Amino acid sequence: MDTRSVKTASPRDLSRDELAASLEWYGKMVLARRFEDEAEREFRRGKIGGYLHVYSGQEAVAAGFLSAIRPDDIFFTAYRDHAHAIFRGAAPGAVMAELFGKATGLAKGKGGSMHLFDVAHGFYGGYGIVGGHIPLATGAAYALRYQKTERICLCFLGDGAMNSGSFHEPANLAGLWGKQGLCPIVYIVENNQYAMGTPVERSSAVTNLAGRFSTYAIDNERADGMDFIEVRRLAERVVRRVRETGGSYAVELLTYRFAGHGAADLFQPYRTKEEIAQARSRDPITILEDRLRAAGALTDEQVKRVHADAERAVTEAVRFAEESPPPAPEELYKDVYGARDEDEKTGTRDRGNTGTR
Amino acid sequence: MAELTYRDALRSALIEEMDHDRRVVLIGEDIGVYQGTFRVTADLLKRYGPGRVIDTPISELGFVGAAIGMAMLGLRPVVEVMTWNFSLLAMDQIVNNAAKLRYFSGGQVNVPMVIRGPNGAGVQLSAQHSQSLEATYAHFPGLYVVAPATPAEAKGLLRTAIRSDDPVIFLENAALYGMKGEVPDSDFALPFGKAAVARSGRDVTVVAYSRMVFAALTAAEQLAAEGIEAEVINMRCLRPLDAATIVESVSRTHRAVVVQEQWKPFGAAAEIAMRIYEDAFDQLDAPVERVTGADVPMPYARTLEVRAVPHEADIVAAVKKTLGKD
């Protein structure tokens, strides 16, 4: 599948609101990209362990949707989650500290790159098993409506997640519940063309991923995911509909993962350098930059300042992560069970099974 | 005090918790219109409506996972699995999400949910519908694993489970649903991690849980006729495990037999026996004995099935072995 086959809407005048949002989110997208470049560098330096999956190339997807929801709305995503956290307001330092495994990280250094959480900002994680978060997001959407709120839930997922049972089962539930107005969720398929190293054509018998939601009576559409302004317009329309109806909806956004699947995916034998170069010619940051320039809203001077700000924020994030302490040894046994349960129900936690008596 | 069946004790806990806390919702297969395979949720759809008594498709991964998401948002879902065998379809959700969310989120998320249903062998249900999965789930930190034997325990532990801020694996037993027993009225709850001495005795400690408690009590009566006084400990809960009550008993009896319905290798009895060795080795006058199910998939033929699950006679024999009377 080629993202260029989906035509980007022709530039047109931006509303005042769109202009302000686009300028703000241009800065956030530049920051996220700079953050990911630095995370890859820190991984190579050995400062970040485990797995590292960067978001570069896909920024317009999360930015477009997260710029279109309310502060009390919530969202779930998989393990390619750094940009989502930063976009939603997590301090880059707290994100970097989590990657460094430090006590000041978003999850106190207990989750790492794949398990970023920022519940105060409506970010419910950060999941490492492909597709495993989709049922959670679906139930969370039910809870929001059960609680008689107008809040909605976004569930970001990859093209690779759509072939697992953990996609099909909750999608069926969302179809059933959505018909009754009880499931205000938007499934956002970030089709970056590859499930690890396997292209969509080789992993999905039907490559129109949006259309697969029709099986479960979930209305859906497919669009280009590289142009922030267009994604945001789509997101505002879809989010309004889901909020009003309590029905579920799905969007497939065509995008591209500029980096490998993870930091260890060095040689990428499943795709050519030419293909990557071609995809990079439609960089979402450049596309937004060009549109803002065309609208006369962005000067060279401003671009330079945005990049300098991002540089400074990321340098500061790394310094913060470096200087932060690791989790205290006693943190090992904290957060397994809630304090209330330990105190009132079990006396002291049964540590015998952990071999630490 | 009222005399209730195990089934009605469970049902009354659900009703009382749902009456006082709107966050409690029920979700599962055929729990509403059909009223529940074992009728634990009988009539609850009429009482609380389809928003709170949620009938689902046959889709364990989907509805267990959805319940986890509901719990993350502050609801207190009680999930019915038609039997625990079917929970294996949702194992990734239970193990990788429910059990670990609090930890890997750095304490930002609670998962206050109960997953309940019958565990263990029935009658001629064969290999796929007869499994005892307590040790499987008790292996994972972040879960509570509860196995009530009596109606009072069923009610008191279910109430504690619904009020827990962490996921609870609540193991019922199909053979016990019709059993009657006295259940305290009022706001009665039993703590997790506290075993009960079901029968006092000085000669040997027999440790059991769920249905096997009754096999142990019957064995104890037979032994008493021969002058052997067995103390029977009803664990009630496997995680956390109340090792202190077992050790206290063994330090008086100096002998122990552990009973479980499930397969012997890597089972609950192995863990309990090891805890006795770790904490009361010097007190033992004989090796700990295990009474377990046969290490085979459950056969269909009744004649074979009877041989595959533990019986009173096996417990009697194990007790006598610890006393050197075999």
Side-chain angles (χ1 to χ4, degrees):
Chain A
M1 204 177 312
D2 187 337
T3 55
R4 291 165 311 152
S5 65
V6 179
K7 202 162 167 273
T8 303
S10 59
R12 56 187 164 110
D13 289 336
L14 306 176
S15 71
R16 182 183 300 210
D17 163 62
E18 270 183 330
L19 202 57
S22 298
L23 281 168
E24 179 195 347
W25 283 83
Y26 171 69
K28 289 189 177 201
M29 286 167 62
V30 169
L31 171 62
R33 177 71 60 85
R34 181 66 195 88
F35 182 95
E36 296 291 51
D37 289 348
E38 186 61 26
E40 287 192 301
R41 205 172 75 90
E42 298 298 332
F43 184 88
R44 288 193 296 271
R45 287 177 64 209
K47 296 287 181 180
I48 296 171
Y51 301 135
L52 183 81
H53 312 90
V54 303
Y55 197 62
S56 305
Q58 301 177 218
E59 291 92 341
V61 174
F65 264 90
L66 293 176
S67 68
I69 61 173
R70 293 181 186 168
D72 62 348
D73 289 332
I74 66 170
F75 66 101
F76 292 70
T77 190
Y79 44 79
R80 202 176 298 285
D81 57 356
H82 313 157
H84 296 69
I86 291 170
F87 286 158
R88 188 62 172 181
V95 179
M96 193 64 86
E98 188 61 32
L99 307 193
F100 276 48
K102 297 299 184 75
T104 55
L106 273 185
K108 303 189 210 167
K110 291 178 172 180
S113 164
M114 296 189 290
H115 301 303
L116 298 179
F117 275 76
D118 188 9
V119 169
H121 287 110
F123 180 21
Y124 280 82
Y127 296 84
I129 306 294
V130 171
H133 65 297
I134 305 171
L136 273 52
T138 307
Y142 185 95
L144 294 175
R145 207 34 71 117
Y146 180 85
Q147 291 159 338
K148 301 193 192 317
T149 70
E150 290 191 340
R151 300 161 73 195
I152 64 140
C153 178
L154 303 181
C155 179
F156 295 91
L157 59 139
D159 45 284
M162 286 190 62
N163 302 309
S164 69
S166 54
F167 162 72
H168 293 278
E169 295 199 15
N172 185 46
L173 291 175
L176 288 165
W177 294 342
K179 284 185 200 171
Q180 305 167 60
L182 298 173
C183 200
I185 189 167
V186 186
Y187 298 103
I188 301 149
V189 181
E190 304 199 35
N191 182 352
N192 68 11
Q193 318 298 327
Y194 292 95
M196 269 192 76
T198 306
V200 172
E201 300 79 30
R202 288 178 55 219
S203 56
S204 181
V206 174
T207 55
N208 180 343
L209 303 183
R212 292 174 65 187
F213 284 87
S214 300
T215 317
Y216 300 112
I218 298 173
D219 288 342
N220 57 79
E221 63 191 280
R222 184 184 220 201
D224 176 40
M226 299 308 256
D227 184 331
F228 167 82
I229 292 168
E230 300 307 322
V231 173
R232 184 165 181 273
R233 283 174 179 166
L234 180 158
E236 289 196 315
R237 170 169 52 80
V238 166
V239 164
R240 193 181 314 121
R241 170 188 160 139
V242 165
R243 199 185 305 283
E244 281 170 6
T245 64
S248 42
Y249 198 87
V251 178
E252 176 191 0
L253 291 171
L254 299 170
T255 182
Y256 198 84
R257 191 187 72 209
F258 289 172
H261 164 72
D265 179 14
L266 297 175
F267 304 111
Q268 303 175 37
Y270 50 86
R271 60 184 186 180
T272 62
K273 286 201 172 69
E274 293 70 35
E275 178 186 310
I276 298 169
Q278 201 161 50
R280 279 185 180 271
S281 72
R282 288 196 75 239
D283 187 317
I285 293 176
T286 313
I287 290 173
L288 179 56
E289 194 176 308
D290 289 349
R291 287 196 69 170
L292 286 169
R293 282 180 195 270
L298 194 64
T299 63
D300 288 348
E301 194 55 40
Q302 282 169 297
V303 170
K304 218 183 279 175
R305 197 179 323 129
V306 164
H307 282 267
D309 287 349
E311 184 65 34
R312 199 163 39 246
V314 171
T315 304
E316 170 57 24
V318 170
R319 189 195 60 75
F320 176 78
E322 290 261 24
E323 292 175 2
S324 290
E330 57 268 26
E331 276 295 323
L332 179 62
Y333 292 106
K334 289 185 181 165
D335 302 319
V336 180
Y337 296 95
R340 205 190 76 178
D341 293 293
E342 278 169 43
D343 297 344
E344 292 181 16
K345 306 225 170 66
T346 66
T348 55
R349 181 175 39 243
D350 175 44
R351 284 190 182 170
N353 286 339
T354 66
T356 58
R357 274 170 311 140
Chain B
M1 283 285 190
E3 187 171 67
L4 292 179
T5 60
Y6 188 100
R7 168 190 295 112
D8 286 338
L10 293 167
R11 185 168 167 277
S12 68
L14 293 175
I15 288 171
E16 287 167 26
E17 291 305 295
M18 290 183 84
D19 279 347
H20 97 256
D21 188 349
R22 203 183 164 272
R23 296 174 302 174
V24 180
V25 298
L26 310 185
I27 180 167
E29 295 158 359
D30 278 325
I31 62 168
V33 175
Y34 191 96
Q35 315 227 17
T37 312
F38 294 94
R39 297 188 63 81
V40 173
T41 56
D43 212 28
L44 299 188
L45 174 64
K46 205 165 79 190
R47 269 176 190 257
Y48 301 106
R52 292 187 75 188
V53 179
I54 308 164
D55 271 329
T56 69
I58 299 172
S59 191
E60 280 79 9
L61 185 171
F63 67 75
V64 171
I68 297 168
M70 293 176 189
M72 291 171 75
L73 267 288
L75 302 192
R76 291 186 169 265
V78 180
V79 184
E80 177 171 300
V81 284
M82 201 177 284
T83 83
W84 273 95
N85 300 285
F86 311 147
S87 75
L88 297 175
L89 291 155
M91 189 130 179
D92 175 61
Q93 290 299 318
I94 298 169
V95 168
N96 270 323
N97 286 335
K100 297 176 173 60
L101 263 158
R102 179 191 293 284
Y103 198 81
F104 66 54
S105 71
Q108 293 184 62
V109 173
N110 288 355
V111 185
M113 72 185 297
V114 183
I115 310 176
R116 50 153 291 273
N119 180 54
V123 178
Q124 289 197 274
L125 301 180
S126 73
Q128 294 183 327
H129 290 71
S130 303
Q131 298 169 97
S132 297
L133 295 173
E134 59 272 22
T136 305
Y137 287 109
H139 187 57
F140 297 103
L143 300 176
Y144 287 114
V145 179
V146 182
T150 67
E153 290 166 11
K155 180 162 186 180
L157 290 169
L158 184 55
R159 192 193 301 281
T160 302
I162 294 171
R163 293 181 180 182
S164 166
D165 282 341
D166 293 285
V168 180
I169 303 298
F170 197 90
L171 305 169
E172 299 160 10
N173 189 289
L176 298 179
Y177 283 129
M179 196 187 75
K180 288 184 175 174
E182 291 292 321
V183 179
D185 302 322
S186 79
D187 199 12
F188 156 71
L190 287 171
F192 289 169
K194 287 270 178 279
V197 177
R199 177 192 176 109
S200 298
R202 60 171 188 275
D203 297 324
V204 59
T205 300
V206 180
V207 182
Y209 52 90
S210 189
R211 192 169 71 85
M212 285 297 124
V213 169
F214 300 102
L217 287 169
T218 307
E221 273 176 40
Q222 293 173 13
L223 288 162
E226 300 180 40
I228 298 167
E229 289 300 329
E231 179 147 300
V232 177
I233 293 179
N234 169 1
M235 288 312 298
R236 290 178 170 169
C237 193
L238 293 174
R239 181 184 266 272
L241 189 72
D242 181 5
T245 295
I246 302 171
V247 167
E248 190 280 323
S249 176
V250 170
S251 66
R252 284 185 283 103
T253 63
H254 311 294
R255 289 167 178 84
V257 172
V258 190
V259 189
Q260 66 177 28
E261 194 178 292
Q262 63 176 187
W263 301 298
K264 191 170 191 177
F266 307 95
E271 174 66 21
I272 292 169
M274 192 62 205
R275 293 297 295 272
I276 295 170
Y277 285 125
E278 286 174 336
D279 294 354
F281 184 76
D282 295 341
Q283 298 291 341
L284 287 171
D285 287 345
V288 177
E289 286 297 317
R290 284 186 278 169
V291 176
T292 74
D295 193 19
V296 297
M298 188 65 79
Y300 168 72
R302 185 64 184 153
T303 49
L304 293 179
E305 182 182 55
V306 165
R307 297 172 69 91
V309 293
H311 297 281
E312 297 80 19
D314 304 311
I315 300 170
V316 168
V319 164
K320 288 184 176 174
K321 194 174 173 196
T322 66
L323 289 159
K325 294 184 177 175
D326 52 334

